[in-house]
PDB file of all heavy atoms in Angstrom:
ATOM      1  N   PRO A 151      48.275 205.485  38.225  1.00  0.00           N
ATOM      2  CA  PRO A 151      48.433 205.910  36.827  1.00  0.00           C
ATOM      3  C   PRO A 151      47.126 206.111  36.050  1.00  0.00           C
ATOM      4  O   PRO A 151      47.026 207.066  35.276  1.00  0.00           O
ATOM      5  CB  PRO A 151      49.275 204.795  36.211  1.00  0.00           C
ATOM      6  CG  PRO A 151      50.090 204.292  37.359  1.00  0.00           C
ATOM      7  CD  PRO A 151      49.178 204.375  38.557  1.00  0.00           C
ATOM      8  N   PRO A 152      46.072 205.238  36.221  1.00  0.00           N
ATOM      9  CA  PRO A 152      44.856 205.476  35.426  1.00  0.00           C
ATOM     10  C   PRO A 152      44.259 206.866  35.571  1.00  0.00           C
ATOM     11  O   PRO A 152      43.739 207.429  34.609  1.00  0.00           O
ATOM     12  CB  PRO A 152      43.898 204.393  35.942  1.00  0.00           C
ATOM     13  CG  PRO A 152      44.798 203.286  36.396  1.00  0.00           C
ATOM     14  CD  PRO A 152      45.987 203.981  36.996  1.00  0.00           C
ATOM     15  N   ALA A 153      44.343 207.444  36.776  1.00  0.00           N
ATOM     16  CA  ALA A 153      43.793 208.784  36.976  1.00  0.00           C
ATOM     17  C   ALA A 153      44.583 209.817  36.174  1.00  0.00           C
ATOM     18  O   ALA A 153      44.006 210.759  35.616  1.00  0.00           O
ATOM     19  CB  ALA A 153      43.824 209.131  38.459  1.00  0.00           C
ATOM     20  N   MET A 154      45.895 209.642  36.085  1.00  0.00           N
ATOM     21  CA  MET A 154      46.720 210.587  35.318  1.00  0.00           C
ATOM     22  C   MET A 154      46.528 210.385  33.812  1.00  0.00           C
ATOM     23  O   MET A 154      46.489 211.363  33.048  1.00  0.00           O
ATOM     24  CB  MET A 154      48.198 210.416  35.722  1.00  0.00           C
ATOM     25  CG  MET A 154      48.472 210.879  37.138  1.00  0.00           C
ATOM     26  SD  MET A 154      50.239 210.868  37.560  1.00  0.00           S
ATOM     27  CE  MET A 154      50.486 209.130  37.851  1.00  0.00           C
ATOM     28  N   HIS A 155      46.395 209.117  33.393  1.00  0.00           N
ATOM     29  CA  HIS A 155      46.098 208.863  31.968  1.00  0.00           C
ATOM     30  C   HIS A 155      44.799 209.550  31.582  1.00  0.00           C
ATOM     31  O   HIS A 155      44.684 210.136  30.503  1.00  0.00           O
ATOM     32  CB  HIS A 155      45.977 207.362  31.713  1.00  0.00           C
ATOM     33  CG  HIS A 155      47.243 206.585  31.853  1.00  0.00           C
ATOM     34  ND1 HIS A 155      48.442 207.002  31.325  1.00  0.00           N
ATOM     35  CD2 HIS A 155      47.511 205.409  32.479  1.00  0.00           C
ATOM     36  CE1 HIS A 155      49.392 206.125  31.602  1.00  0.00           C
ATOM     37  NE2 HIS A 155      48.841 205.147  32.312  1.00  0.00           N
ATOM     38  N   ASP A 156      43.810 209.508  32.471  1.00  0.00           N
ATOM     39  CA  ASP A 156      42.507 210.090  32.185  1.00  0.00           C
ATOM     40  C   ASP A 156      42.618 211.600  32.007  1.00  0.00           C
ATOM     41  O   ASP A 156      41.986 212.183  31.117  1.00  0.00           O
ATOM     42  CB  ASP A 156      41.538 209.746  33.324  1.00  0.00           C
ATOM     43  CG  ASP A 156      40.095 209.702  32.855  1.00  0.00           C
ATOM     44  OD1 ASP A 156      39.860 209.328  31.691  1.00  0.00           O
ATOM     45  OD2 ASP A 156      39.201 210.041  33.649  1.00  0.00           O
ATOM     46  N   VAL A 157      43.407 212.255  32.850  1.00  0.00           N
ATOM     47  CA  VAL A 157      43.620 213.704  32.721  1.00  0.00           C
ATOM     48  C   VAL A 157      44.261 214.034  31.365  1.00  0.00           C
ATOM     49  O   VAL A 157      43.816 214.943  30.659  1.00  0.00           O
ATOM     50  CB  VAL A 157      44.514 214.221  33.879  1.00  0.00           C
ATOM     51  CG1 VAL A 157      44.983 215.644  33.588  1.00  0.00           C
ATOM     52  CG2 VAL A 157      43.740 214.176  35.187  1.00  0.00           C
ATOM     53  N   LEU A 158      45.276 213.279  30.980  1.00  0.00           N
ATOM     54  CA  LEU A 158      45.979 213.549  29.729  1.00  0.00           C
ATOM     55  C   LEU A 158      45.104 213.260  28.516  1.00  0.00           C
ATOM     56  O   LEU A 158      45.221 213.922  27.475  1.00  0.00           O
ATOM     57  CB  LEU A 158      47.292 212.741  29.676  1.00  0.00           C
ATOM     58  CG  LEU A 158      48.327 213.178  30.728  1.00  0.00           C
ATOM     59  CD1 LEU A 158      49.373 212.114  30.923  1.00  0.00           C
ATOM     60  CD2 LEU A 158      48.975 214.506  30.311  1.00  0.00           C
ATOM     61  N   ASN A 159      44.219 212.271  28.627  1.00  0.00           N
ATOM     62  CA  ASN A 159      43.307 211.961  27.524  1.00  0.00           C
ATOM     63  C   ASN A 159      42.309 213.082  27.263  1.00  0.00           C
ATOM     64  O   ASN A 159      41.650 213.107  26.214  1.00  0.00           O
ATOM     65  CB  ASN A 159      42.542 210.656  27.816  1.00  0.00           C
ATOM     66  CG  ASN A 159      43.403 209.428  27.623  1.00  0.00           C
ATOM     67  OD1 ASN A 159      44.334 209.437  26.831  1.00  0.00           O
ATOM     68  ND2 ASN A 159      43.090 208.361  28.353  1.00  0.00           N
ATOM     69  N   HIS A 160      42.193 214.007  28.197  1.00  0.00           N
ATOM     70  CA  HIS A 160      41.283 215.151  28.029  1.00  0.00           C
ATOM     71  C   HIS A 160      41.743 216.072  26.903  1.00  0.00           C
ATOM     72  O   HIS A 160      40.923 216.773  26.292  1.00  0.00           O
ATOM     73  CB  HIS A 160      41.195 215.916  29.355  1.00  0.00           C
ATOM     74  CG  HIS A 160      40.413 217.182  29.286  1.00  0.00           C
ATOM     75  ND1 HIS A 160      39.034 217.202  29.265  1.00  0.00           N
ATOM     76  CD2 HIS A 160      40.814 218.475  29.210  1.00  0.00           C
ATOM     77  CE1 HIS A 160      38.613 218.446  29.200  1.00  0.00           C
ATOM     78  NE2 HIS A 160      39.675 219.239  29.172  1.00  0.00           N
ATOM     79  N   PHE A 161      43.037 216.082  26.616  1.00  0.00           N
ATOM     80  CA  PHE A 161      43.606 217.062  25.686  1.00  0.00           C
ATOM     81  C   PHE A 161      43.823 216.458  24.306  1.00  0.00           C
ATOM     82  O   PHE A 161      44.667 215.585  24.111  1.00  0.00           O
ATOM     83  CB  PHE A 161      44.940 217.597  26.240  1.00  0.00           C
ATOM     84  CG  PHE A 161      44.774 218.399  27.503  1.00  0.00           C
ATOM     85  CD1 PHE A 161      44.841 217.768  28.749  1.00  0.00           C
ATOM     86  CD2 PHE A 161      44.516 219.760  27.466  1.00  0.00           C
ATOM     87  CE1 PHE A 161      44.679 218.502  29.905  1.00  0.00           C
ATOM     88  CE2 PHE A 161      44.347 220.491  28.614  1.00  0.00           C
ATOM     89  CZ  PHE A 161      44.415 219.870  29.853  1.00  0.00           C
ATOM     90  N   ASP A 162      43.041 216.944  23.341  1.00  0.00           N
ATOM     91  CA  ASP A 162      43.195 216.485  21.953  1.00  0.00           C
ATOM     92  C   ASP A 162      44.573 216.840  21.407  1.00  0.00           C
ATOM     93  O   ASP A 162      45.089 216.170  20.512  1.00  0.00           O
ATOM     94  CB  ASP A 162      42.117 217.108  21.059  1.00  0.00           C
ATOM     95  CG  ASP A 162      40.737 216.574  21.379  1.00  0.00           C
ATOM     96  OD1 ASP A 162      40.652 215.418  21.845  1.00  0.00           O
ATOM     97  OD2 ASP A 162      39.755 217.296  21.157  1.00  0.00           O
ATOM     98  N   ALA A 163      45.162 217.909  21.925  1.00  0.00           N
ATOM     99  CA  ALA A 163      46.474 218.358  21.420  1.00  0.00           C
ATOM    100  C   ALA A 163      47.610 217.414  21.808  1.00  0.00           C
ATOM    101  O   ALA A 163      48.680 217.441  21.204  1.00  0.00           O
ATOM    102  CB  ALA A 163      46.771 219.761  21.947  1.00  0.00           C
ATOM    103  N   VAL A 164      47.376 216.563  22.828  1.00  0.00           N
ATOM    104  CA  VAL A 164      48.398 215.610  23.269  1.00  0.00           C
ATOM    105  C   VAL A 164      48.281 214.356  22.424  1.00  0.00           C
ATOM    106  O   VAL A 164      47.294 213.632  22.477  1.00  0.00           O
ATOM    107  CB  VAL A 164      48.244 215.281  24.766  1.00  0.00           C
ATOM    108  CG1 VAL A 164      49.243 214.199  25.180  1.00  0.00           C
ATOM    109  CG2 VAL A 164      48.440 216.533  25.606  1.00  0.00           C
ATOM    110  N   GLU A 165      49.312 214.088  21.623  1.00  0.00           N
ATOM    111  CA  GLU A 165      49.304 212.941  20.719  1.00  0.00           C
ATOM    112  C   GLU A 165      49.748 211.656  21.404  1.00  0.00           C
ATOM    113  O   GLU A 165      49.312 210.569  21.053  1.00  0.00           O
ATOM    114  CB  GLU A 165      50.191 213.219  19.514  1.00  0.00           C
ATOM    115  CG  GLU A 165      49.698 214.349  18.631  1.00  0.00           C
ATOM    116  CD  GLU A 165      50.522 214.510  17.382  1.00  0.00           C
ATOM    117  OE1 GLU A 165      51.674 214.980  17.487  1.00  0.00           O
ATOM    118  OE2 GLU A 165      50.028 214.149  16.299  1.00  0.00           O
ATOM    119  N   ASN A 166      50.634 211.792  22.370  1.00  0.00           N
ATOM    120  CA  ASN A 166      51.143 210.612  23.077  1.00  0.00           C
ATOM    121  C   ASN A 166      51.718 211.084  24.404  1.00  0.00           C
ATOM    122  O   ASN A 166      52.045 212.260  24.571  1.00  0.00           O
ATOM    123  CB  ASN A 166      52.207 209.889  22.245  1.00  0.00           C
ATOM    124  CG  ASN A 166      52.184 208.386  22.477  1.00  0.00           C
ATOM    125  OD1 ASN A 166      51.686 207.913  23.484  1.00  0.00           O
ATOM    126  ND2 ASN A 166      52.735 207.627  21.541  1.00  0.00           N
ATOM    127  N   HIS A 167      51.858 210.139  25.342  1.00  0.00           N
ATOM    128  CA  HIS A 167      52.435 210.515  26.624  1.00  0.00           C
ATOM    129  C   HIS A 167      52.994 209.294  27.330  1.00  0.00           C
ATOM    130  O   HIS A 167      52.583 208.160  27.063  1.00  0.00           O
ATOM    131  CB  HIS A 167      51.383 211.180  27.514  1.00  0.00           C
ATOM    132  CG  HIS A 167      50.337 210.251  28.033  1.00  0.00           C
ATOM    133  ND1 HIS A 167      49.149 210.009  27.368  1.00  0.00           N
ATOM    134  CD2 HIS A 167      50.286 209.450  29.150  1.00  0.00           C
ATOM    135  CE1 HIS A 167      48.436 209.143  28.044  1.00  0.00           C
ATOM    136  NE2 HIS A 167      49.100 208.774  29.132  1.00  0.00           N
ATOM    137  N   VAL A 168      53.941 209.536  28.238  1.00  0.00           N
ATOM    138  CA  VAL A 168      54.421 208.499  29.167  1.00  0.00           C
ATOM    139  C   VAL A 168      54.523 209.140  30.549  1.00  0.00           C
ATOM    140  O   VAL A 168      54.712 210.359  30.686  1.00  0.00           O
ATOM    141  CB  VAL A 168      55.786 207.908  28.765  1.00  0.00           C
ATOM    142  CG1 VAL A 168      55.691 207.205  27.411  1.00  0.00           C
ATOM    143  CG2 VAL A 168      56.871 208.963  28.758  1.00  0.00           C
ATOM    144  N   ILE A 169      54.375 208.298  31.565  1.00  0.00           N
ATOM    145  CA  ILE A 169      54.492 208.739  32.958  1.00  0.00           C
ATOM    146  C   ILE A 169      55.672 208.011  33.580  1.00  0.00           C
ATOM    147  O   ILE A 169      55.757 206.772  33.506  1.00  0.00           O
ATOM    148  CB  ILE A 169      53.208 208.421  33.738  1.00  0.00           C
ATOM    149  CG1 ILE A 169      52.007 209.155  33.110  1.00  0.00           C
ATOM    150  CG2 ILE A 169      53.363 208.797  35.214  1.00  0.00           C
ATOM    151  CD1 ILE A 169      50.668 208.695  33.652  1.00  0.00           C
ATOM    152  N   GLU A 170      56.597 208.752  34.162  1.00  0.00           N
ATOM    153  CA  GLU A 170      57.759 208.157  34.832  1.00  0.00           C
ATOM    154  C   GLU A 170      57.708 208.479  36.320  1.00  0.00           C
ATOM    155  O   GLU A 170      57.460 209.620  36.712  1.00  0.00           O
ATOM    156  CB  GLU A 170      59.053 208.715  34.232  1.00  0.00           C
ATOM    157  CG  GLU A 170      59.241 208.377  32.759  1.00  0.00           C
ATOM    158  CD  GLU A 170      60.512 208.980  32.173  1.00  0.00           C
ATOM    159  OE1 GLU A 170      61.006 209.990  32.727  1.00  0.00           O
ATOM    160  OE2 GLU A 170      60.997 208.467  31.151  1.00  0.00           O
ATOM    161  N   ILE A 171      57.941 207.476  37.135  1.00  0.00           N
ATOM    162  CA  ILE A 171      57.960 207.637  38.588  1.00  0.00           C
ATOM    163  C   ILE A 171      59.375 207.302  39.087  1.00  0.00           C
ATOM    164  O   ILE A 171      59.935 206.282  38.684  1.00  0.00           O
ATOM    165  CB  ILE A 171      56.944 206.737  39.295  1.00  0.00           C
ATOM    166  CG1 ILE A 171      55.557 206.859  38.635  1.00  0.00           C
ATOM    167  CG2 ILE A 171      56.867 207.057  40.777  1.00  0.00           C
ATOM    168  CD1 ILE A 171      54.971 208.238  38.707  1.00  0.00           C
ATOM    169  N   TYR A 172      59.911 208.145  39.941  1.00  0.00           N
ATOM    170  CA  TYR A 172      61.264 207.886  40.468  1.00  0.00           C
ATOM    171  C   TYR A 172      61.363 208.510  41.865  1.00  0.00           C
ATOM    172  O   TYR A 172      60.495 209.300  42.291  1.00  0.00           O
ATOM    173  CB  TYR A 172      62.318 208.467  39.540  1.00  0.00           C
ATOM    174  CG  TYR A 172      62.218 209.965  39.320  1.00  0.00           C
ATOM    175  CD1 TYR A 172      62.968 210.861  40.072  1.00  0.00           C
ATOM    176  CD2 TYR A 172      61.343 210.476  38.360  1.00  0.00           C
ATOM    177  CE1 TYR A 172      62.871 212.232  39.872  1.00  0.00           C
ATOM    178  CE2 TYR A 172      61.236 211.843  38.147  1.00  0.00           C
ATOM    179  CZ  TYR A 172      61.999 212.717  38.911  1.00  0.00           C
ATOM    180  OH  TYR A 172      61.876 214.082  38.723  1.00  0.00           O
ATOM    181  N   HIS A 173      62.387 208.143  42.596  1.00  0.00           N
ATOM    182  CA  HIS A 173      62.626 208.727  43.917  1.00  0.00           C
ATOM    183  C   HIS A 173      63.580 209.912  43.796  1.00  0.00           C
ATOM    184  O   HIS A 173      64.592 209.838  43.081  1.00  0.00           O
ATOM    185  CB  HIS A 173      63.234 207.677  44.864  1.00  0.00           C
ATOM    186  CG  HIS A 173      62.230 206.744  45.437  1.00  0.00           C
ATOM    187  ND1 HIS A 173      62.550 205.477  45.899  1.00  0.00           N
ATOM    188  CD2 HIS A 173      60.899 206.880  45.640  1.00  0.00           C
ATOM    189  CE1 HIS A 173      61.446 204.887  46.345  1.00  0.00           C
ATOM    190  NE2 HIS A 173      60.440 205.697  46.187  1.00  0.00           N
ATOM    191  N   ASN A 174      63.270 210.996  44.510  1.00  0.00           N
ATOM    192  CA  ASN A 174      64.183 212.139  44.538  1.00  0.00           C
ATOM    193  C   ASN A 174      65.262 211.916  45.606  1.00  0.00           C
ATOM    194  O   ASN A 174      65.322 210.836  46.211  1.00  0.00           O
ATOM    195  CB  ASN A 174      63.418 213.448  44.791  1.00  0.00           C
ATOM    196  CG  ASN A 174      62.631 213.421  46.107  1.00  0.00           C
ATOM    197  OD1 ASN A 174      62.972 212.688  47.035  1.00  0.00           O
ATOM    198  ND2 ASN A 174      61.566 214.212  46.163  1.00  0.00           N
ATOM    199  N   GLU A 175      66.082 212.924  45.827  1.00  0.00           N
ATOM    200  CA  GLU A 175      67.212 212.758  46.753  1.00  0.00           C
ATOM    201  C   GLU A 175      66.743 212.537  48.201  1.00  0.00           C
ATOM    202  O   GLU A 175      67.514 212.056  49.046  1.00  0.00           O
ATOM    203  CB  GLU A 175      68.139 213.969  46.680  1.00  0.00           C
ATOM    204  CG  GLU A 175      67.500 215.291  47.082  1.00  0.00           C
ATOM    205  CD  GLU A 175      66.749 215.943  45.916  1.00  0.00           C
ATOM    206  OE1 GLU A 175      66.628 215.314  44.856  1.00  0.00           O
ATOM    207  OE2 GLU A 175      66.300 217.087  46.099  1.00  0.00           O
ATOM    208  N   LEU A 176      65.481 212.855  48.488  1.00  0.00           N
ATOM    209  CA  LEU A 176      64.942 212.634  49.830  1.00  0.00           C
ATOM    210  C   LEU A 176      64.287 211.274  49.967  1.00  0.00           C
ATOM    211  O   LEU A 176      63.817 210.903  51.040  1.00  0.00           O
ATOM    212  CB  LEU A 176      63.919 213.731  50.177  1.00  0.00           C
ATOM    213  CG  LEU A 176      64.444 215.175  50.193  1.00  0.00           C
ATOM    214  CD1 LEU A 176      63.294 216.137  50.452  1.00  0.00           C
ATOM    215  CD2 LEU A 176      65.532 215.337  51.242  1.00  0.00           C
ATOM    216  N   GLY A 177      64.227 210.534  48.859  1.00  0.00           N
ATOM    217  CA  GLY A 177      63.638 209.207  48.881  1.00  0.00           C
ATOM    218  C   GLY A 177      62.123 209.185  48.717  1.00  0.00           C
ATOM    219  O   GLY A 177      61.485 208.155  48.925  1.00  0.00           O
ATOM    220  N   THR A 178      61.536 210.328  48.367  1.00  0.00           N
ATOM    221  CA  THR A 178      60.091 210.386  48.148  1.00  0.00           C
ATOM    222  C   THR A 178      59.763 210.331  46.649  1.00  0.00           C
ATOM    223  O   THR A 178      60.633 210.560  45.797  1.00  0.00           O
ATOM    224  CB  THR A 178      59.492 211.675  48.761  1.00  0.00           C
ATOM    225  OG1 THR A 178      60.125 212.814  48.170  1.00  0.00           O
ATOM    226  CG2 THR A 178      59.719 211.696  50.266  1.00  0.00           C
ATOM    227  N   ASP A 179      58.500 210.040  46.347  1.00  0.00           N
ATOM    228  CA  ASP A 179      58.088 209.846  44.955  1.00  0.00           C
ATOM    229  C   ASP A 179      58.069 211.147  44.172  1.00  0.00           C
ATOM    230  O   ASP A 179      57.590 212.187  44.678  1.00  0.00           O
ATOM    231  CB  ASP A 179      56.687 209.226  44.883  1.00  0.00           C
ATOM    232  CG  ASP A 179      56.658 207.775  45.361  1.00  0.00           C
ATOM    233  OD1 ASP A 179      57.748 207.196  45.509  1.00  0.00           O
ATOM    234  OD2 ASP A 179      55.549 207.248  45.574  1.00  0.00           O
ATOM    235  N   GLU A 180      58.574 211.094  42.952  1.00  0.00           N
ATOM    236  CA  GLU A 180      58.472 212.195  42.001  1.00  0.00           C
ATOM    237  C   GLU A 180      57.802 211.684  40.733  1.00  0.00           C
ATOM    238  O   GLU A 180      57.951 210.502  40.367  1.00  0.00           O
ATOM    239  CB  GLU A 180      59.840 212.762  41.668  1.00  0.00           C
ATOM    240  CG  GLU A 180      60.461 213.600  42.773  1.00  0.00           C
ATOM    241  CD  GLU A 180      59.828 214.971  42.932  1.00  0.00           C
ATOM    242  OE1 GLU A 180      58.948 215.326  42.102  1.00  0.00           O
ATOM    243  OE2 GLU A 180      60.183 215.680  43.893  1.00  0.00           O
ATOM    244  N   ILE A 181      57.072 212.563  40.065  1.00  0.00           N
ATOM    245  CA  ILE A 181      56.380 212.211  38.829  1.00  0.00           C
ATOM    246  C   ILE A 181      56.891 213.093  37.704  1.00  0.00           C
ATOM    247  O   ILE A 181      56.924 214.325  37.854  1.00  0.00           O
ATOM    248  CB  ILE A 181      54.855 212.390  38.965  1.00  0.00           C
ATOM    249  CG1 ILE A 181      54.300 211.616  40.143  1.00  0.00           C
ATOM    250  CG2 ILE A 181      54.146 212.000  37.664  1.00  0.00           C
ATOM    251  CD1 ILE A 181      52.846 211.918  40.463  1.00  0.00           C
ATOM    252  N   ARG A 182      57.271 212.480  36.609  1.00  0.00           N
ATOM    253  CA  ARG A 182      57.676 213.225  35.410  1.00  0.00           C
ATOM    254  C   ARG A 182      56.827 212.707  34.247  1.00  0.00           C
ATOM    255  O   ARG A 182      56.814 211.513  33.963  1.00  0.00           O
ATOM    256  CB  ARG A 182      59.159 213.054  35.107  1.00  0.00           C
ATOM    257  CG  ARG A 182      59.618 213.781  33.832  1.00  0.00           C
ATOM    258  CD  ARG A 182      61.126 213.773  33.700  1.00  0.00           C
ATOM    259  NE  ARG A 182      61.672 212.437  33.802  1.00  0.00           N
ATOM    260  CZ  ARG A 182      62.654 212.084  34.633  1.00  0.00           C
ATOM    261  NH1 ARG A 182      63.201 212.973  35.450  1.00  0.00           N
ATOM    262  NH2 ARG A 182      63.091 210.831  34.684  1.00  0.00           N
ATOM    263  N   ILE A 183      56.123 213.609  33.599  1.00  0.00           N
ATOM    264  CA  ILE A 183      55.277 213.237  32.469  1.00  0.00           C
ATOM    265  C   ILE A 183      55.854 213.835  31.194  1.00  0.00           C
ATOM    266  O   ILE A 183      56.125 215.051  31.131  1.00  0.00           O
ATOM    267  CB  ILE A 183      53.834 213.727  32.670  1.00  0.00           C
ATOM    268  CG1 ILE A 183      53.223 213.032  33.889  1.00  0.00           C
ATOM    269  CG2 ILE A 183      52.983 213.448  31.436  1.00  0.00           C
ATOM    270  CD1 ILE A 183      51.832 213.512  34.248  1.00  0.00           C
ATOM    271  N   LYS A 184      56.057 212.999  30.207  1.00  0.00           N
ATOM    272  CA  LYS A 184      56.547 213.447  28.910  1.00  0.00           C
ATOM    273  C   LYS A 184      55.391 213.379  27.916  1.00  0.00           C
ATOM    274  O   LYS A 184      54.710 212.358  27.815  1.00  0.00           O
ATOM    275  CB  LYS A 184      57.706 212.566  28.431  1.00  0.00           C
ATOM    276  CG  LYS A 184      58.930 212.650  29.332  1.00  0.00           C
ATOM    277  CD  LYS A 184      60.048 211.733  28.823  1.00  0.00           C
ATOM    278  CE  LYS A 184      61.276 211.835  29.719  1.00  0.00           C
ATOM    279  NZ  LYS A 184      62.371 210.951  29.241  1.00  0.00           N
ATOM    280  N   ILE A 185      55.163 214.477  27.193  1.00  0.00           N
ATOM    281  CA  ILE A 185      54.066 214.527  26.236  1.00  0.00           C
ATOM    282  C   ILE A 185      54.574 214.927  24.864  1.00  0.00           C
ATOM    283  O   ILE A 185      55.510 215.703  24.727  1.00  0.00           O
ATOM    284  CB  ILE A 185      52.950 215.485  26.697  1.00  0.00           C
ATOM    285  CG1 ILE A 185      53.484 216.910  26.840  1.00  0.00           C
ATOM    286  CG2 ILE A 185      52.326 215.013  27.998  1.00  0.00           C
ATOM    287  CD1 ILE A 185      52.400 217.928  27.119  1.00  0.00           C
ATOM    288  N   ALA A 186      53.937 214.368  23.849  1.00  0.00           N
ATOM    289  CA  ALA A 186      54.159 214.794  22.470  1.00  0.00           C
ATOM    290  C   ALA A 186      52.896 215.531  22.040  1.00  0.00           C
ATOM    291  O   ALA A 186      51.792 215.000  22.160  1.00  0.00           O
ATOM    292  CB  ALA A 186      54.414 213.596  21.563  1.00  0.00           C
ATOM    293  N   ALA A 187      53.055 216.760  21.580  1.00  0.00           N
ATOM    294  CA  ALA A 187      51.911 217.589  21.230  1.00  0.00           C
ATOM    295  C   ALA A 187      51.983 218.032  19.779  1.00  0.00           C
ATOM    296  O   ALA A 187      53.067 218.157  19.201  1.00  0.00           O
ATOM    297  CB  ALA A 187      51.838 218.824  22.130  1.00  0.00           C
ATOM    298  N   LYS A 188      50.796 218.248  19.204  1.00  0.00           N
ATOM    299  CA  LYS A 188      50.743 218.705  17.818  1.00  0.00           C
ATOM    300  C   LYS A 188      51.413 220.072  17.683  1.00  0.00           C
ATOM    301  O   LYS A 188      52.169 220.317  16.750  1.00  0.00           O
ATOM    302  CB  LYS A 188      49.277 218.779  17.359  1.00  0.00           C
ATOM    303  CG  LYS A 188      48.591 217.413  17.354  1.00  0.00           C
ATOM    304  CD  LYS A 188      47.097 217.529  17.080  1.00  0.00           C
ATOM    305  CE  LYS A 188      46.443 216.141  17.119  1.00  0.00           C
ATOM    306  NZ  LYS A 188      44.972 216.206  16.957  1.00  0.00           N
ATOM    307  N   VAL A 189      51.121 220.951  18.644  1.00  0.00           N
ATOM    308  CA  VAL A 189      51.777 222.271  18.688  1.00  0.00           C
ATOM    309  C   VAL A 189      52.221 222.497  20.132  1.00  0.00           C
ATOM    310  O   VAL A 189      51.430 222.918  20.983  1.00  0.00           O
ATOM    311  CB  VAL A 189      50.808 223.390  18.254  1.00  0.00           C
ATOM    312  CG1 VAL A 189      51.540 224.739  18.260  1.00  0.00           C
ATOM    313  CG2 VAL A 189      50.238 223.108  16.880  1.00  0.00           C
ATOM    314  N   PRO A 190      53.488 222.187  20.443  1.00  0.00           N
ATOM    315  CA  PRO A 190      53.973 222.336  21.816  1.00  0.00           C
ATOM    316  C   PRO A 190      54.165 223.798  22.191  1.00  0.00           C
ATOM    317  O   PRO A 190      55.055 224.481  21.662  1.00  0.00           O
ATOM    318  CB  PRO A 190      55.309 221.581  21.805  1.00  0.00           C
ATOM    319  CG  PRO A 190      55.754 221.576  20.384  1.00  0.00           C
ATOM    320  CD  PRO A 190      54.527 221.625  19.541  1.00  0.00           C
ATOM    321  N   THR A 191      53.340 224.293  23.092  1.00  0.00           N
ATOM    322  CA  THR A 191      53.442 225.686  23.531  1.00  0.00           C
ATOM    323  C   THR A 191      53.430 225.753  25.055  1.00  0.00           C
ATOM    324  O   THR A 191      52.944 224.846  25.729  1.00  0.00           O
ATOM    325  CB  THR A 191      52.263 226.526  23.007  1.00  0.00           C
ATOM    326  OG1 THR A 191      51.036 226.012  23.589  1.00  0.00           O
ATOM    327  CG2 THR A 191      52.168 226.448  21.475  1.00  0.00           C
ATOM    328  N   GLU A 192      53.931 226.865  25.571  1.00  0.00           N
ATOM    329  CA  GLU A 192      53.897 227.074  27.017  1.00  0.00           C
ATOM    330  C   GLU A 192      52.471 227.193  27.519  1.00  0.00           C
ATOM    331  O   GLU A 192      52.148 226.800  28.649  1.00  0.00           O
ATOM    332  CB  GLU A 192      54.710 228.329  27.380  1.00  0.00           C
ATOM    333  CG  GLU A 192      56.214 228.138  27.303  1.00  0.00           C
ATOM    334  CD  GLU A 192      56.697 227.047  28.227  1.00  0.00           C
ATOM    335  OE1 GLU A 192      56.239 226.988  29.392  1.00  0.00           O
ATOM    336  OE2 GLU A 192      57.529 226.225  27.792  1.00  0.00           O
TER     337      GLU A 192
END
């Protein structure tokens, strides 16, 4: 997680974030990151 936090801290536009780890249907790791942004754009 610290490496991913560091990447997200690079962006001033990201106000907050969480990282979720879960297993997919194959039993392998998946990562889902939720971010709150000042101006959420594609």
Side-chain angles (χ1 to χ4, degrees):
M154 291 187 282
H155 292 314
D156 208 32
V157 168
L158 293 163
N159 284 332
H160 174 77
F161 294 90
D162 291 332
V164 175
E165 295 186 288
N166 213 339
H167 71 269
V168 298
I169 300 169
E170 297 178 337
I171 310 298
Y172 60 95
H173 280 156
N174 59 25
E175 62 276 7
L176 299 176
T178 58
D179 291 347
E180 286 286 354
I181 304 171
R182 178 171 53 232
I183 297 176
K184 296 179 179 180
I185 61 173
K188 296 173 182 176
V189 182
T191 64
E192 285 301 316

